[in-house]
Amino acid sequence: MAIVVNKLIPEFEATATGGIKVSNTSHLGQVLVMYFYPKDNTPGCTTEAMQFRDRFKDFEKAGATVFGVSRDNMKSHEEFKTKLELPFELIADTEEKMCHMFGVVKNKIMYGKKVKGIERSTFLIGADGVLKAEWRGLKVPGHVDDVLKAVKTLKKA
């Protein structure tokens, strides 16, 4: 089932670093920011993670919980999280269940070959479990600030 803005997000269950279980109901009452990224330890993904890290306190103050999501395994996530001192958890979606549910798996051309990859995307889920906003195929510069603005706007509403 695909996700749609202004609708409840479908049922899902995943495990994040720190042994945290995340599901469509685990964080009801909290605003969730879920950002999907292609791969741990790549330049764009490292920059994006560091920007979320550097603004983490602002997200917390605005009442949002941040999760990074990629197809990397838990070992890779734990190392990436430690190396960058990330204060938020990373979800290991090794079977691509969440990636497909959120519609971020795309065909890409890499070195002249067609490959299946993750389109950098972020989703803002309200405290009621409803998808409030989405950013797809985004560029890293300025993105984290856009998401934070949307979280603050949501909090005021």
Side-chain angles (χ1 to χ4, degrees):
M1 186 169 160
I3 61 158
V4 180
V5 174
N6 295 324
K7 299 272 189 226
L8 277 173
I9 57 167
E11 237 175 77
F12 75 90
E13 199 169 278
T15 303
T17 48
I20 297 192
K21 296 283 182 216
V22 184
S23 73
N24 53 305
T25 57
S26 63
H27 290 75
L28 285 176
Q30 298 174 318
V31 172
L32 280 186
V33 172
M34 297 185 102
Y35 79 92
F36 287 76
Y37 63 97
K39 192 154 182 45
D40 291 343
N41 295 304
T42 56
C45 299
T46 298
T47 300
E48 184 177 28
M50 291 186 329
Q51 288 179 1
F52 272 109
R53 176 197 66 197
D54 295 348
R55 299 302 302 271
F56 181 74
K57 290 250 184 281
D58 297 322
F59 279 100
E60 260 189 336
K61 208 162 102 183
T65 302
V66 176
F67 285 101
V69 186
S70 83
R71 300 180 300 182
D72 294 298
N73 63 33
M74 203 55 78
K75 183 180 185 301
S76 175
H77 275 349
E78 291 287 2
E79 290 168 359
F80 188 55
K81 184 178 183 229
T82 300
K83 180 175 145 187
L84 297 181
E85 298 176 5
L86 301 178
F88 52 86
E89 305 303 334
L90 302 174
I91 296 172
D93 188 30
T94 54
E95 295 176 12
E96 299 180 359
K97 287 179 182 169
M98 288 181 69
C99 291
H100 283 290
M101 184 182 106
F102 281 84
V104 299
V105 178
K106 302 289 178 197
N107 286 324
K108 298 178 171 185
I109 305 288
M110 199 175 244
Y111 306 114
K113 286 186 176 162
K114 253 189 193 177
V115 294
K116 195 167 61 161
I118 302 302
E119 178 182 55
R120 193 179 307 281
S121 305
T122 301
F123 301 88
L124 176 58
I125 301 160
D128 54 2
V130 171
L131 180 65
K132 301 296 184 181
E134 62 182 13
W135 295 263
R136 294 181 179 272
L138 55 94
K139 300 286 179 239
V140 173
H143 172 64
V144 171
D145 292 333
D146 292 345
V147 177
L148 184 58
K149 252 184 245 154
V151 168
K152 288 177 177 176
T153 302
L154 187 61
K155 191 177 180 186
K156 286 179 194 162

Coordinates of all heavy atoms in Angstrom, one line a residue, residues 41-133:
N41 N 28.0 6.0 4.6 CA 29.4 6.4 4.3 C 29.6 6.8 2.9 O 30.7 6.8 2.4 CB 30.3 5.2 4.6 CG 30.4 4.9 6.1 OD1 30.7 5.8 6.9 ND2 30.1 3.7 6.5
T42 N 28.6 7.3 2.2 CA 28.8 7.9 0.9 C 28.7 9.5 1.1 O 28.2 9.9 2.1 CB 27.7 7.5 -0.1 OG1 26.4 7.8 0.4 CG2 27.9 6.0 -0.4
P43 N 29.3 10.3 0.2 CA 29.5 11.7 0.5 C 28.1 12.4 0.8 O 28.0 13.1 1.8 CB 30.1 12.2 -0.8 CG 30.9 11.1 -1.4 CD 30.0 9.9 -1.0
G44 N 27.1 12.3 -0.1 CA 25.9 13.0 0.1 C 25.1 12.5 1.3 O 24.6 13.3 2.1
C45 N 25.2 11.2 1.6 CA 24.5 10.6 2.8 C 25.2 11.1 4.1 O 24.5 11.3 5.1 CB 24.4 9.1 2.6 SG 23.5 8.6 1.2
T46 N 26.5 11.1 4.0 CA 27.2 11.6 5.2 C 26.9 13.0 5.5 O 26.6 13.4 6.6 CB 28.7 11.4 5.0 OG1 29.0 10.0 4.8 CG2 29.6 11.9 6.2
T47 N 26.9 13.9 4.5 CA 26.5 15.3 4.6 C 25.1 15.5 5.2 O 24.9 16.2 6.1 CB 26.7 16.0 3.3 OG1 28.0 15.9 2.8 CG2 26.3 17.5 3.4
E48 N 24.2 14.7 4.6 CA 22.8 14.8 5.1 C 22.7 14.4 6.5 O 22.0 15.1 7.3 CB 21.9 13.9 4.2 CG 20.4 14.1 4.5 CD 19.6 13.2 3.6 OE1 20.0 12.2 3.0 OE2 18.4 13.6 3.4
A49 N 23.3 13.3 6.9 CA 23.3 12.8 8.3 C 23.8 13.8 9.3 O 23.3 14.1 10.3 CB 24.0 11.4 8.4
M50 N 25.0 14.4 8.9 CA 25.6 15.4 9.7 C 24.7 16.7 9.9 O 24.7 17.3 10.9 CB 27.0 15.8 9.2 CG 28.0 14.7 9.3 SD 29.7 15.0 8.9 CE 29.7 16.2 7.6
Q51 N 24.0 17.0 8.8 CA 23.1 18.2 8.9 C 21.9 17.9 9.8 O 21.5 18.8 10.6 CB 22.6 18.6 7.5 CG 23.7 19.3 6.7 CD 23.3 19.7 5.3 OE1 22.2 19.5 4.9 NE2 24.3 20.2 4.6
F52 N 21.4 16.7 9.8 CA 20.3 16.3 10.7 C 20.9 16.3 12.1 O 20.2 16.7 13.1 CB 19.7 15.0 10.4 CG 18.5 15.1 9.4 CD1 18.6 14.6 8.1 CD2 17.3 15.6 9.8 CE1 17.5 14.8 7.2 CE2 16.2 15.7 9.0 CZ 16.3 15.3 7.7
R53 N 22.1 15.8 12.3 CA 22.8 15.7 13.6 C 23.0 17.1 14.1 O 22.6 17.4 15.3 CB 24.2 15.1 13.4 CG 25.0 15.1 14.7 CD 26.5 14.8 14.5 NE 27.1 15.9 13.7 CZ 28.2 15.9 13.1 NH1 28.9 14.8 13.0 NH2 28.7 16.9 12.5
D54 N 23.4 18.0 13.3 CA 23.7 19.4 13.8 C 22.5 20.2 14.1 O 22.6 21.1 14.9 CB 24.5 20.2 12.7 CG 25.9 19.5 12.5 OD1 26.3 18.7 13.3 OD2 26.6 19.9 11.5
R55 N 21.3 19.8 13.6 CA 20.1 20.5 13.9 C 19.2 19.6 14.8 O 18.0 20.0 15.1 CB 19.3 20.8 12.6 CG 20.0 21.7 11.6 CD 20.4 23.1 12.2 NE 19.3 23.9 12.7 CZ 18.6 24.8 12.0 NH1 18.8 24.9 10.7 NH2 17.6 25.5 12.6
F56 N 19.7 18.5 15.3 CA 18.9 17.6 16.1 C 18.2 18.2 17.3 O 17.1 18.0 17.6 CB 19.8 16.4 16.6 CG 19.0 15.4 17.4 CD1 18.2 14.5 16.7 CD2 19.2 15.3 18.7 CE1 17.5 13.5 17.4 CE2 18.5 14.3 19.5 CZ 17.6 13.5 18.8
K57 N 19.0 19.0 18.1 CA 18.4 19.7 19.2 C 17.2 20.6 18.8 O 16.2 20.7 19.6 CB 19.4 20.6 19.9 CG 20.5 19.7 20.6 CD 20.4 19.8 22.2 CE 21.5 19.1 22.9 NZ 21.3 17.6 23.0
D58 N 17.3 21.2 17.7 CA 16.2 22.0 17.2 C 14.9 21.2 16.8 O 13.8 21.6 17.1 CB 16.6 22.8 15.9 CG 17.7 23.8 16.2 OD1 17.7 24.4 17.3 OD2 18.6 24.0 15.4
F59 N 15.2 20.0 16.3 CA 14.1 19.1 16.0 C 13.5 18.6 17.3 O 12.2 18.6 17.4 CB 14.6 17.9 15.2 CG 14.7 18.1 13.7 CD1 15.9 18.4 13.1 CD2 13.5 18.1 12.9 CE1 16.0 18.7 11.8 CE2 13.6 18.4 11.5 CZ 14.8 18.7 11.0
E60 N 14.3 18.3 18.3 CA 13.8 17.8 19.6 C 13.0 18.9 20.2 O 11.9 18.6 20.8 CB 15.0 17.5 20.5 CG 15.3 16.0 20.6 CD 16.4 15.8 21.7 OE1 17.2 16.7 22.0 OE2 16.4 14.6 22.2
K61 N 13.5 20.1 20.2 CA 12.8 21.3 20.8 C 11.4 21.5 20.1 O 10.5 21.9 20.8 CB 13.6 22.5 20.6 CG 13.4 23.6 21.7 CD 14.5 24.5 21.8 CE 14.1 25.8 21.1 NZ 15.2 26.8 21.1
A62 N 11.4 21.2 18.8 CA 10.1 21.4 18.1 C 9.2 20.1 18.2 O 8.1 20.1 17.7 CB 10.4 21.6 16.6
G63 N 9.7 19.1 19.0 CA 8.8 18.0 19.3 C 8.9 16.8 18.3 O 8.0 16.0 18.2
A64 N 10.0 16.8 17.5 CA 10.1 15.7 16.5 C 11.1 14.7 16.8 O 12.2 15.0 17.4 CB 10.4 16.4 15.1
T65 N 10.9 13.5 16.4 CA 11.8 12.4 16.5 C 12.3 12.1 15.1 O 11.5 12.0 14.2 CB 11.1 11.1 17.1 OG1 10.6 11.4 18.4 CG2 12.1 10.0 17.3
V66 N 13.6 12.0 15.0 CA 14.3 11.8 13.6 C 14.7 10.3 13.5 O 15.4 9.8 14.4 CB 15.4 12.7 13.4 CG1 16.2 12.5 12.1 CG2 15.0 14.2 13.5
F67 N 14.5 9.7 12.3 CA 15.0 8.4 12.0 C 15.6 8.5 10.6 O 15.0 9.0 9.7 CB 13.9 7.3 12.0 CG 13.5 6.9 13.3 CD1 12.3 7.3 13.9 CD2 14.3 6.0 14.1 CE1 11.9 6.9 15.1 CE2 13.9 5.6 15.4 CZ 12.7 6.1 15.9
G68 N 16.8 7.9 10.4 CA 17.3 7.7 9.1 C 17.0 6.3 8.6 O 17.0 5.4 9.5
V69 N 16.7 6.1 7.4 CA 16.4 4.8 6.8 C 17.2 4.5 5.6 O 17.2 5.3 4.7 CB 14.9 4.7 6.5 CG1 14.5 3.3 6.1 CG2 14.0 5.2 7.6
S70 N 17.8 3.3 5.5 CA 18.5 2.9 4.3 C 18.5 1.4 4.3 O 18.0 0.7 5.2 CB 19.9 3.4 4.2 OG 20.8 2.6 4.9
R71 N 19.0 0.8 3.2 CA 19.0 -0.6 3.0 C 20.2 -1.3 3.7 O 20.4 -2.5 3.7 CB 19.0 -1.0 1.5 CG 17.7 -0.5 0.8 CD 17.8 -0.8 -0.7 NE 18.9 -0.3 -1.3 CZ 19.2 -0.4 -2.6 NH1 18.3 -1.1 -3.4 NH2 20.2 0.1 -3.2
D72 N 21.1 -0.5 4.3 CA 22.3 -1.0 4.9 C 21.9 -1.9 6.1 O 20.8 -1.7 6.7 CB 23.2 0.2 5.4 CG 23.7 1.0 4.2 OD1 24.5 0.4 3.4 OD2 23.4 2.1 4.1
N73 N 22.8 -2.8 6.5 CA 22.5 -3.7 7.6 C 22.8 -2.9 8.9 O 23.4 -1.9 9.0 CB 23.2 -5.0 7.5 CG 24.7 -4.8 7.5 OD1 25.3 -3.9 8.2 ND2 25.4 -5.7 6.8
M74 N 22.4 -3.6 10.0 CA 22.6 -3.0 11.4 C 24.0 -2.7 11.7 O 24.3 -1.7 12.3 CB 21.9 -3.9 12.4 CG 21.5 -3.2 13.7 SD 20.4 -1.8 13.4 CE 18.9 -2.7 13.2
K75 N 24.9 -3.6 11.4 CA 26.4 -3.4 11.6 C 26.9 -2.1 11.0 O 27.5 -1.3 11.6 CB 27.2 -4.6 11.2 CG 28.7 -4.5 11.5 CD 29.4 -5.8 10.9 CE 30.8 -5.8 11.3 NZ 31.7 -4.7 10.9
S76 N 26.5 -1.9 9.7 CA 26.9 -0.7 8.9 C 26.3 0.5 9.6 O 27.0 1.5 9.8 CB 26.4 -0.9 7.5 OG 26.7 0.3 6.8
H77 N 25.0 0.4 10.0 CA 24.4 1.6 10.6 C 25.0 1.9 12.0 O 25.2 3.1 12.3 CB 22.9 1.2 10.9 CG 22.0 1.5 9.7 ND1 22.4 2.2 8.6 CD2 20.7 1.2 9.6 CE1 21.3 2.3 7.8 NE2 20.3 1.7 8.3
E78 N 25.3 0.9 12.8 CA 26.0 1.1 14.1 C 27.3 1.9 13.9 O 27.6 2.8 14.6 CB 26.2 -0.2 14.9 CG 24.9 -0.8 15.3 CD 24.2 -0.1 16.5 OE1 24.6 0.9 17.0 OE2 23.1 -0.6 16.9
E79 N 28.1 1.4 12.9 CA 29.4 2.0 12.6 C 29.2 3.5 12.1 O 30.0 4.4 12.5 CB 30.2 1.2 11.6 CG 30.7 -0.1 12.2 CD 31.2 -1.1 11.2 OE1 31.2 -0.8 10.0 OE2 31.6 -2.2 11.6
F80 N 28.3 3.7 11.2 CA 28.0 5.0 10.6 C 27.6 6.0 11.8 O 28.0 7.1 11.8 CB 26.9 4.8 9.6 CG 26.7 6.1 8.7 CD1 27.7 6.7 8.0 CD2 25.3 6.5 8.6 CE1 27.4 7.8 7.2 CE2 25.1 7.6 7.8 CZ 26.1 8.3 7.1
K81 N 26.7 5.5 12.6 CA 26.1 6.3 13.7 C 27.3 6.7 14.7 O 27.3 7.8 15.1 CB 25.0 5.5 14.4 CG 24.4 6.2 15.5 CD 23.3 5.4 16.2 CE 22.6 6.3 17.2 NZ 22.4 5.8 18.5
T82 N 28.1 5.7 15.0 CA 29.2 6.0 15.9 C 30.2 7.0 15.3 O 30.6 7.9 16.0 CB 29.9 4.7 16.3 OG1 29.0 3.8 16.9 CG2 31.1 4.9 17.3
K83 N 30.6 6.7 14.1 CA 31.6 7.5 13.4 C 31.2 9.0 13.3 O 32.0 9.9 13.5 CB 31.8 7.0 12.0 CG 32.8 7.7 11.1 CD 33.0 7.0 9.8 CE 33.2 7.9 8.7 NZ 33.2 7.2 7.4
L84 N 29.9 9.2 13.0 CA 29.4 10.6 12.9 C 28.8 11.2 14.2 O 28.3 12.3 14.2 CB 28.3 10.6 11.8 CG 28.8 10.3 10.4 CD1 27.7 10.4 9.3 CD2 30.0 11.2 9.9
E85 N 28.8 10.3 15.2 CA 28.2 10.7 16.5 C 26.7 11.2 16.3 O 26.3 12.3 16.8 CB 29.0 11.8 17.2 CG 30.4 11.4 17.5 CD 31.3 12.4 18.1 OE1 30.8 13.6 18.3 OE2 32.5 12.2 18.3
L86 N 25.9 10.4 15.6 CA 24.5 10.7 15.4 C 23.7 10.5 16.6 O 23.8 9.5 17.3 CB 24.0 9.9 14.2 CG 24.7 10.0 12.9 CD1 24.1 9.0 11.9 CD2 24.7 11.4 12.4
P87 N 22.9 11.5 17.0 CA 22.1 11.4 18.2 C 20.7 10.7 18.0 O 19.9 10.6 18.9 CB 21.9 12.9 18.6 CG 21.9 13.6 17.3 CD 22.9 12.9 16.4
F88 N 20.5 10.3 16.7 CA 19.2 9.7 16.4 C 19.5 8.3 15.9 O 20.6 8.0 15.5 CB 18.4 10.5 15.3 CG 19.2 10.9 14.1 CD1 19.3 10.0 13.0 CD2 19.9 12.1 14.1 CE1 20.1 10.4 11.9 CE2 20.7 12.5 13.0 CZ 20.8 11.6 11.9
E89 N 18.4 7.5 15.8 CA 18.6 6.1 15.4 C 18.5 5.9 13.9 O 17.8 6.8 13.2 CB 17.6 5.2 16.1 CG 17.6 5.3 17.6 CD 18.9 5.0 18.3 OE1 19.7 4.3 17.7 OE2 19.2 5.6 19.4
L90 N 19.0 4.8 13.3 CA 19.0 4.5 11.9 C 18.3 3.2 11.8 O 18.6 2.2 12.5 CB 20.4 4.4 11.3 CG 21.3 5.6 11.5 CD1 22.7 5.4 11.0 CD2 20.7 6.8 10.7
I91 N 17.3 3.1 10.8 CA 16.5 1.9 10.6 C 17.2 1.1 9.5 O 17.5 1.7 8.4 CB 15.1 2.3 10.2 CG1 14.4 2.9 11.4 CG2 14.3 1.0 9.8 CD1 13.0 3.5 11.1
A92 N 17.4 -0.2 9.7 CA 18.0 -1.1 8.7 C 16.8 -1.7 8.0 O 16.2 -2.6 8.5 CB 18.9 -2.1 9.4
D93 N 16.6 -1.3 6.7 CA 15.5 -1.8 5.9 C 16.1 -2.7 4.8 O 16.0 -2.5 3.6 CB 14.7 -0.7 5.3 CG 13.5 -1.2 4.6 OD1 12.9 -2.2 5.0 OD2 13.1 -0.5 3.6
T94 N 16.8 -3.8 5.3 CA 17.6 -4.6 4.4 C 16.7 -5.4 3.4 O 17.1 -5.7 2.3 CB 18.4 -5.7 5.2 OG1 17.5 -6.4 6.1 CG2 19.5 -5.0 6.0
E95 N 15.4 -5.6 3.7 CA 14.5 -6.3 2.8 C 13.7 -5.3 2.0 O 12.8 -5.7 1.2 CB 13.6 -7.2 3.6 CG 14.3 -8.4 4.3 CD 13.4 -9.2 5.1 OE1 12.2 -9.1 5.1 OE2 14.0 -10.0 5.9
E96 N 14.0 -4.0 2.2 CA 13.3 -2.9 1.4 C 11.8 -2.8 1.6 O 11.1 -2.2 0.7 CB 13.6 -3.1 -0.1 CG 15.1 -3.0 -0.5 CD 15.3 -3.2 -2.0 OE1 14.4 -3.3 -2.8 OE2 16.5 -3.1 -2.4
K97 N 11.3 -3.3 2.7 CA 9.8 -3.3 2.9 C 9.4 -1.8 3.0 O 8.4 -1.4 2.4 CB 9.4 -4.1 4.1 CG 9.5 -5.6 3.9 CD 9.1 -6.3 5.1 CE 9.2 -7.8 4.9 NZ 9.1 -8.6 6.1
M98 N 10.1 -1.1 3.9 CA 9.7 0.4 4.1 C 10.0 1.2 2.8 O 9.2 2.0 2.5 CB 10.5 1.0 5.3 CG 10.0 0.5 6.6 SD 10.9 1.2 8.0 CE 10.3 2.9 7.9
C99 N 11.2 0.9 2.2 CA 11.5 1.6 0.9 C 10.4 1.5 -0.1 O 10.1 2.4 -0.8 CB 12.9 1.1 0.4 SG 14.3 1.5 1.4
H100 N 9.9 0.2 -0.2 CA 8.8 0.0 -1.2 C 7.5 0.7 -0.8 O 6.8 1.3 -1.6 CB 8.6 -1.4 -1.5 CG 9.7 -2.0 -2.4 ND1 9.7 -1.7 -3.8 CD2 10.7 -2.8 -2.2 CE1 10.8 -2.3 -4.3 NE2 11.4 -3.0 -3.4
M101 N 7.2 0.6 0.5 CA 6.0 1.2 1.1 C 6.0 2.7 0.9 O 5.0 3.3 0.5 CB 5.9 0.9 2.5 CG 4.6 1.4 3.2 SD 4.5 1.0 4.9 CE 4.8 2.6 5.6
F102 N 7.1 3.3 1.1 CA 7.2 4.8 0.9 C 7.5 5.2 -0.5 O 7.6 6.4 -0.8 CB 8.3 5.4 1.9 CG 7.8 5.5 3.3 CD1 7.8 4.4 4.2 CD2 7.3 6.7 3.8 CE1 7.4 4.6 5.5 CE2 6.8 6.9 5.1 CZ 6.9 5.8 5.9
G103 N 7.7 4.2 -1.4 CA 7.9 4.5 -2.8 C 9.2 5.2 -3.2 O 9.2 6.0 -4.0
V104 N 10.3 4.8 -2.5 CA 11.6 5.5 -2.7 C 12.6 4.6 -3.5 O 13.7 5.1 -3.8 CB 12.2 5.9 -1.4 CG1 11.3 6.9 -0.7 CG2 12.6 4.8 -0.5
V105 N 12.2 3.4 -3.9 CA 13.0 2.6 -4.7 C 12.8 3.0 -6.2 O 11.7 3.0 -6.7 CB 12.7 1.1 -4.6 CG1 13.6 0.2 -5.5 CG2 12.9 0.6 -3.1
K106 N 13.9 3.4 -6.8 CA 13.9 3.9 -8.2 C 15.0 3.3 -9.1 O 16.0 2.9 -8.6 CB 14.1 5.5 -8.2 CG 13.1 6.2 -7.4 CD 11.8 6.3 -8.0 CE 10.8 7.0 -7.1 NZ 9.4 6.8 -7.4
N107 N 14.7 3.2 -10.4 CA 15.7 2.8 -11.3 C 16.6 4.0 -11.5 O 16.2 5.1 -11.8 CB 15.1 2.3 -12.6 CG 14.5 0.9 -12.4 OD1 15.0 0.1 -11.7 ND2 13.4 0.7 -13.1
K108 N 17.9 3.7 -11.5 CA 18.9 4.8 -11.7 C 19.9 4.3 -12.7 O 20.1 3.1 -12.9 CB 19.7 5.1 -10.4 CG 18.8 5.6 -9.3 CD 19.7 5.9 -8.0 CE 18.9 6.6 -7.0 NZ 19.8 6.9 -5.8
I109 N 20.6 5.2 -13.3 CA 21.7 4.8 -14.2 C 23.0 5.1 -13.5 O 23.3 6.3 -13.1 CB 21.7 5.6 -15.6 CG1 20.3 5.4 -16.3 CG2 22.8 5.2 -16.5 CD1 20.0 4.1 -16.9
M110 N 23.9 4.1 -13.3 CA 25.1 4.3 -12.6 C 26.2 3.7 -13.5 O 26.2 2.5 -13.8 CB 25.1 3.6 -11.3 CG 26.1 4.1 -10.3 SD 25.8 3.4 -8.7 CE 25.5 4.8 -7.8
Y111 N 27.2 4.5 -13.9 CA 28.2 4.0 -14.8 C 27.7 3.3 -16.1 O 28.2 2.3 -16.5 CB 29.2 3.1 -14.1 CG 29.8 3.8 -12.8 CD1 29.5 3.2 -11.6 CD2 30.6 4.9 -12.9 CE1 30.0 3.8 -10.4 CE2 31.0 5.5 -11.7 CZ 30.7 5.0 -10.5 OH 31.2 5.5 -9.4
G112 N 26.6 3.9 -16.6 CA 26.0 3.3 -17.8 C 25.1 2.1 -17.6 O 24.6 1.5 -18.5
K113 N 25.0 1.6 -16.3 CA 24.1 0.4 -16.1 C 22.9 0.8 -15.3 O 23.0 1.7 -14.4 CB 24.9 -0.6 -15.2 CG 26.0 -1.3 -16.0 CD 26.6 -2.4 -15.1 CE 27.6 -3.2 -15.9 NZ 28.5 -4.0 -15.1
K114 N 21.8 0.1 -15.6 CA 20.6 0.4 -14.8 C 20.7 -0.3 -13.4 O 21.0 -1.5 -13.4 CB 19.4 -0.2 -15.5 CG 18.5 0.8 -16.1 CD 17.2 0.2 -16.7 CE 16.5 1.2 -17.5 NZ 15.3 0.6 -18.1
V115 N 20.5 0.4 -12.4 CA 20.5 -0.2 -11.0 C 19.3 0.3 -10.2 O 18.7 1.3 -10.5 CB 21.8 0.2 -10.3 CG1 23.0 -0.4 -10.9 CG2 22.0 1.7 -10.1
K116 N 18.9 -0.5 -9.3 CA 17.8 -0.1 -8.4 C 18.4 0.6 -7.2 O 19.3 0.0 -6.5 CB 17.1 -1.4 -8.0 CG 15.7 -1.2 -7.4 CD 14.9 -2.5 -7.2 CE 15.6 -3.5 -6.3 NZ 14.8 -4.5 -5.8
G117 N 18.0 1.8 -7.0 CA 18.6 2.6 -5.9 C 17.5 3.3 -5.1 O 16.3 3.3 -5.4
I118 N 17.9 3.9 -4.0 CA 17.0 4.7 -3.1 C 17.1 6.2 -3.5 O 18.1 6.7 -3.6 CB 17.4 4.5 -1.7 CG1 17.4 3.1 -1.2 CG2 16.5 5.4 -0.8 CD1 16.1 2.3 -1.4
E119 N 15.9 6.7 -3.8 CA 15.8 8.1 -4.1 C 15.7 8.9 -2.7 O 14.9 8.6 -1.9 CB 14.5 8.4 -4.9 CG 14.2 9.9 -5.2 CD 12.9 10.1 -5.9 OE1 11.9 9.6 -5.4 OE2 13.0 10.7 -7.0
R120 N 16.7 9.8 -2.6 CA 16.8 10.5 -1.3 C 15.4 11.3 -1.1 O 15.0 12.1 -1.9 CB 17.9 11.6 -1.4 CG 18.3 12.2 -0.1 CD 19.5 13.2 -0.3 NE 20.6 12.6 -1.0 CZ 21.5 11.8 -0.5 NH1 21.4 11.5 0.8 NH2 22.5 11.4 -1.2
S121 N 14.8 10.9 0.0 CA 13.4 11.4 0.3 C 13.2 11.6 1.8 O 13.8 10.8 2.6 CB 12.4 10.5 -0.2 OG 12.5 10.2 -1.6
T122 N 12.4 12.5 2.2 CA 12.0 12.7 3.6 C 10.5 12.8 3.8 O 9.8 13.3 2.9 CB 12.7 14.0 4.2 OG1 14.1 13.9 4.0 CG2 12.4 14.2 5.6
F123 N 10.0 12.2 4.9 CA 8.6 12.2 5.2 C 8.4 12.7 6.6 O 9.1 12.4 7.5 CB 8.1 10.7 5.1 CG 8.3 10.2 3.7 CD1 9.5 9.5 3.4 CD2 7.4 10.4 2.7 CE1 9.7 9.0 2.1 CE2 7.6 9.9 1.4 CZ 8.8 9.2 1.1
L124 N 7.4 13.6 6.7 CA 7.0 14.2 8.0 C 5.6 13.6 8.4 O 4.6 13.7 7.7 CB 6.9 15.7 7.8 CG 6.4 16.5 9.0 CD1 7.3 16.2 10.3 CD2 6.3 18.0 8.7
I125 N 5.6 12.8 9.5 CA 4.4 12.1 10.0 C 4.0 12.8 11.3 O 4.8 13.0 12.2 CB 4.7 10.7 10.2 CG1 5.2 10.0 8.9 CG2 3.5 9.9 10.8 CD1 6.0 8.7 9.1
G126 N 2.7 13.2 11.3 CA 2.2 13.9 12.4 C 2.0 13.0 13.6 O 2.1 11.8 13.5
A127 N 1.7 13.6 14.8 CA 1.6 12.9 16.0 C 0.4 11.9 16.0 O 0.2 11.0 16.7 CB 1.4 13.9 17.2
D128 N -0.5 12.2 15.0 CA -1.7 11.4 14.8 C -1.5 10.2 13.8 O -2.4 9.5 13.5 CB -2.9 12.2 14.3 CG -2.5 13.0 13.0 OD1 -1.4 12.9 12.5 OD2 -3.4 13.8 12.5
G129 N -0.2 10.1 13.3 CA 0.1 9.0 12.4 C -0.2 9.2 11.0 O -0.1 8.4 10.1
V130 N -0.6 10.5 10.7 CA -0.9 10.9 9.3 C 0.3 11.5 8.6 O 1.0 12.3 9.3 CB -2.1 11.9 9.3 CG1 -2.4 12.5 8.0 CG2 -3.4 11.2 9.9
L131 N 0.5 11.2 7.4 CA 1.6 11.8 6.6 C 1.3 13.2 6.3 O 0.2 13.5 5.7 CB 1.8 11.0 5.3 CG 3.0 11.6 4.4 CD1 4.3 11.4 5.1 CD2 3.0 10.9 3.1
K132 N 2.1 14.2 6.8 CA 1.8 15.6 6.7 C 2.5 16.2 5.5 O 2.0 17.2 4.9 CB 2.2 16.3 8.0 CG 1.5 15.8 9.2 CD 0.0 16.1 9.1 CE -0.7 15.7 10.5 NZ -2.1 15.8 10.4
A133 N 3.7 15.7 5.2 CA 4.5 16.3 4.1 C 5.5 15.3 3.6 O 5.9 14.4 4.3 CB 5.2 17.6 4.5

